[in-house]
Amino acid sequence: MTDHLLQPSATHSRRALLRTLGVAGLAAGGSGLLLPRRARASKTLTVGWVYVGPKNDFGFNQAHHEAVLALKSTPGLKVLEEENVPETEAVEQTMESMINFDGADLLFLTSFGYFDHMVKVAPKYPKVQFRHQGLLWKPEDPANTGSYFGYISEGLYGCGIAAALASKTGKLGFIAAKPIPAVLRSVNSFTMGARSVNPNITVQLIITGGWSVPAKEAEATNSLADNGVDGIACHIDDLKVVLQTADQRGIHSCGLNVDQRALAPKGYLTGSLYNWKTPYGEMIQDVMNGPSLPHLLRGGFAEGFVRMGPYGPAASDQVRSAVDTAAAELAAGKRFVFTGPLKDNKGKVLLTAGQHFAVGDPSLLAMDYLVEGVNGSLT
Amino acid sequence: MTGMVGGTVLLAVLSGAVRSSTPYLFVSLGECLTEKSGRTNLGQEGILVLGAMVGYAGSYETGSAWAGVLLAGFAGSALGALHALCCQLRRVNDVAVGIALILLGTGLAFLFGKPFIQPSAPMLSALSLGWWAVDPSIRAALRVNELFLVGIGVAVAMHLFFLRTRWGLIVRTVGGNAEAARALGYSVNGVRLAATTAGAFLSGMGGSFLSLFYPGSWTESLSNGQGLIAVALVIFARWQPLRCLWAALMFGGAEAIGPALQAIGLSEVYYVVAAAPYVLTLIIMAISCAPGRRAAGAPGELKIA
């Protein structure tokens, strides 16, 4: 525990000192002058990760951190991590400090709001590669920048199957942070999965309005349980409170981002998990051995960027085999999450029989509707 | 159908009031005691967050949730004492110290709370007062935590303290007219130190409820300004402990309205309804702080009333 407390603060104070003393001098003297690129000389690759929250948050940030832990022992690789970096100028200072003082060659910026700051800093360091987690990169952005993304919503299709098969009431619930395309894809994928095994199932949507608002999330879980919902999934940053409350109320729950079985030992079914190890491993190999690092790297089940989580004890054999089959078919391209006939929940036709949206279809990336079966509204 | 919907929302609001009101209750009682002595402690938000973190960490380390609650109280009172001591210095403004305390409290909580985000601490248990009910949602609504009952007890005790005891009278005198208190030979700073420290003990305990019962976890976004809202709530309660109880229940209920309406399918206005507790605060401030109107019941020495 002492280590936990001391290490980050030591790094912080060192960084803070270097920021005040060094950055001005560097701006004048150029990056190579103060600190020679020892990293390059000894042929190790230094890679930095920047997180917006704590790296052990049981959620989004931890998913990245777990990949870093898994890759850490790669020969010739040195890893840097900084957590709780706000989406402000602070991230520019973090980037500059990782490049100038730690000799970073490749930076991964894991939060949405880092993008503009990356585009601002990248032209100053043409030899450093910058990659941003998201879907924002455009060809006109600096040549040493790019985006990577995992289609986490695909796994929610599997969660929907699990929750629907386990449901007795036919009512499921979804707790969503904000009505943006990435979240709506999750809500709709969950509903598509549920309705693929039981067309009569309904999904009650609650939007909390924030990425992490524990009091509202707990209240939402209780309200859903009060209304007969017996299975919950969510797209929020930190699922601890929802999963614990769901277990207290004796209803099923699904996880997101990382394995969260321990939080809901009674009712946890499965989860949609990131497998960042795969894309990070690929990108690091690309930089180490060539040929070149792509600007865009996106994937879901097929690419191994996303996977279904381990099953909780509440998942029956029937649930396990149905979810396994669906995940395998999605990965093989034999099944698609959004398949016709499909209407939105206001009756507008989205797909006719036989049609489907391919993974990464532009209309999925701009999703602004709720599919049939979701009780909820976006206005 | 309308009746059923109304019933569902009413039940949700009532159960939300019982579930969510405890932190409001403790912080507003703590602030009530502080303000009765003539000082405003805006730092309650920081004390609440630090209390939440220390409560969780204490419960995890000692294995007893109630030890966590006590430790949270002590952590709170340390910040309260700091506030009182700073305010004794010449030309120090209590409101400004309070704002600094918000930053200090949350900063300390985040710094030392890092290793406690992941582990699961022993939680406070609940009394199932709804054992008689068949409907599981009523049974869930009546899962009452002991700390809520303690809060009710504290409200009644504080009411009697101000009304019936000599010490209560001294606190009220110091808060009402410091010169008179000094003339009577009481140490104004000493009384304020005691009142602020004791008040902050209550606020710290309120914080531990957030992490040890409901929502029941330590995360850095645990409080959404409940500590600040509770300060406004004291004005609404006219500095009377028993009224703090009703006001806290009202704010707890207001928090439940948004999710309750969405859970039954009325989701069109969720942003408006989600703002209910804050709108309620604004209305209270507007009514009680209108120009030229001195809030009735305010201690005479209080600067912001």
Side-chain angles (χ1 to χ4, degrees), chain A residues 1 4-5 54 56-58 62 83-84 179 204-207 209 212-216 218-220 222-224 226-227 238 240-241 244 248-249 376-377 379, chain B residues 8 16 19-20 56 61 111 114 116-120 137 140 143 214-222 224 255-256 259-260 262-265 267-268 270-271:
Chain A
M1 201 198 94
H4 263 86
L5 287 176
N56 55 357
D57 64 351
F58 252 125
Q62 187 175 327
E83 53 184 342
N84 285 321
Q204 185 64 54
L205 173 68
I206 293 192
I207 299 174
S212 182
V213 278
K216 275 191 196 143
E219 209 44 62
N222 275 312
S223 293
L224 288 170
D226 286 345
N227 283 281
D238 175 359
K240 203 173 168 187
V241 162
Q244 285 175 341
Q248 263 173 28
R249 295 297 303 259
S377 139
T379 44
Chain B
T8 315
R19 278 196 294 257
S20 311
Y56 198 77
E61 296 290 349
L111 177 65
K114 279 280 178 297
F116 298 101
I117 295 176
Q118 280 225 327
S120 286
S137 54
R143 280 181 77 247
Y214 195 78
S217 154
W218 162 244
T219 68
E220 293 179 0
S221 50
L222 196 54
N224 296 304
E255 272 194 0
Q262 286 197 61
I264 54 162
S267 51
E268 279 80 2
Y270 72 93
Y271 276 123

Side-chain angles (χ1 to χ4, degrees), chain B residues 107-175:
Chain B
L108 286 175
F110 290 2
L111 177 65
F112 293 107
K114 279 280 178 297
F116 298 101
I117 295 176
Q118 280 225 327
S120 286
M123 292 283 126
L124 290 169
S125 56
L127 301 173
S128 296
L129 301 183
W131 46 269
W132 47 270
V134 189
D135 186 343
S137 54
I138 294 180
R139 253 182 286 153
L142 288 174
R143 280 181 77 247
V144 175
N145 175 252
E146 287 98 337
L147 215 48
F148 177 63
L149 304 176
V150 172
I152 296 175
V154 173
V156 173
M158 198 182 285
H159 173 75
L160 296 174
F161 170 78
F162 285 136
L163 211 65
R164 297 277 167 83
T165 69
R166 180 182 149 77
W167 278 98
L169 184 64
I170 294 172
V171 173
R172 283 194 291 145
T173 311
V174 167

Side-chain angles (χ1 to χ4, degrees), chain A residues 106 108 115 118 129-151 276 279-280 282-283 286 292-300 303 305 360 365:
Chain A
L106 171 62
F108 290 116
F115 186 79
M118 171 183 82
Q129 289 290 335
F130 298 78
R131 289 296 178 272
H132 175 257
Q133 189 280 134
L135 292 161
L136 297 175
W137 190 83
K138 303 267 180 318
E140 58 268 28
D141 287 319
N144 57 338
T145 60
S147 283
Y148 61 99
F149 192 77
Y151 298 116
W276 288 121
Y280 283 140
E282 285 176 18
M283 287 189 274
D286 284 342
S292 68
L293 183 62
H295 287 296
L296 287 173
L297 190 63
R298 294 166 188 187
E303 293 78 7
F305 291 14
L365 303 184

Side-chain angles (χ1 to χ4, degrees), chain A residues 4 32 38 40 44 47 53 56 74 79 91 96 132 139-140 142 146 162 188 219-220 222 265 286 306 310-311 315 360:
Chain A
H4 263 86
R38 243 180 278 125
R40 281 276 161 81
T44 57
V47 184
N56 55 357
T74 311
V79 303
V91 67
E96 303 234 9
H132 175 257
E140 58 268 28
N188 290 335
E219 209 44 62
N222 275 312
D286 284 342
V306 170
Y311 295 102

